Amino acid sequence: LGRSPEHGYTENRRDPCAMCLANPGVIRTIEETADPLFRMAEVDFGGVRQQVSLACLPEAIVGDRVLVHVGIALSLVTESAP
């Protein structure tokens, strides 16, 4: 789609083609804290490991597959998910 009014684009709206990207990874370790909002996990993305916030997934445990966007685990991935 082009960025013209004929394609539904205006400067006051979000781009209709915009989207977010979340990457799947596996939780390897979890740093527990007194406040669940500050739980952090080391997540493996096919060999690359990153620290990720578990604030949105208080139920997450080591071994879970998660979708991560900008350093925050947003959802669990089940085996039945494509």
Side-chain angles (χ1 to χ4, degrees):
L1 291 175
R3 289 185 174 260
S4 64
E6 299 86 45
H7 292 113
Y9 181 81
T10 66
E11 291 298 322
N12 296 329
R13 287 184 20 182
R14 292 178 122 169
D15 187 340
C17 297
M19 65 178 191
C20 294
L21 176 66
N23 293 310
V26 179
I27 296 176
R28 295 298 180 201
T29 63
I30 295 177
E31 294 176 33
E32 297 291 347
T33 62
D35 187 341
L37 287 176
F38 296 106
R39 288 175 75 215
M40 295 294 289
E42 182 177 86
V43 177
D44 185 341
F45 300 96
V48 175
R49 293 186 176 203
Q50 296 287 321
Q51 290 293 311
V52 171
S53 170
L54 295 177
C56 295
L57 291 176
E59 71 277 15
I61 59 172
V62 172
D64 280 348
R65 294 182 179 277
V66 292
L67 284 178
V68 178
H69 176 68
V70 296
I72 302 171
L74 298 177
S75 67
L76 295 174
V77 178
T78 61
E79 291 296 323
S80 62

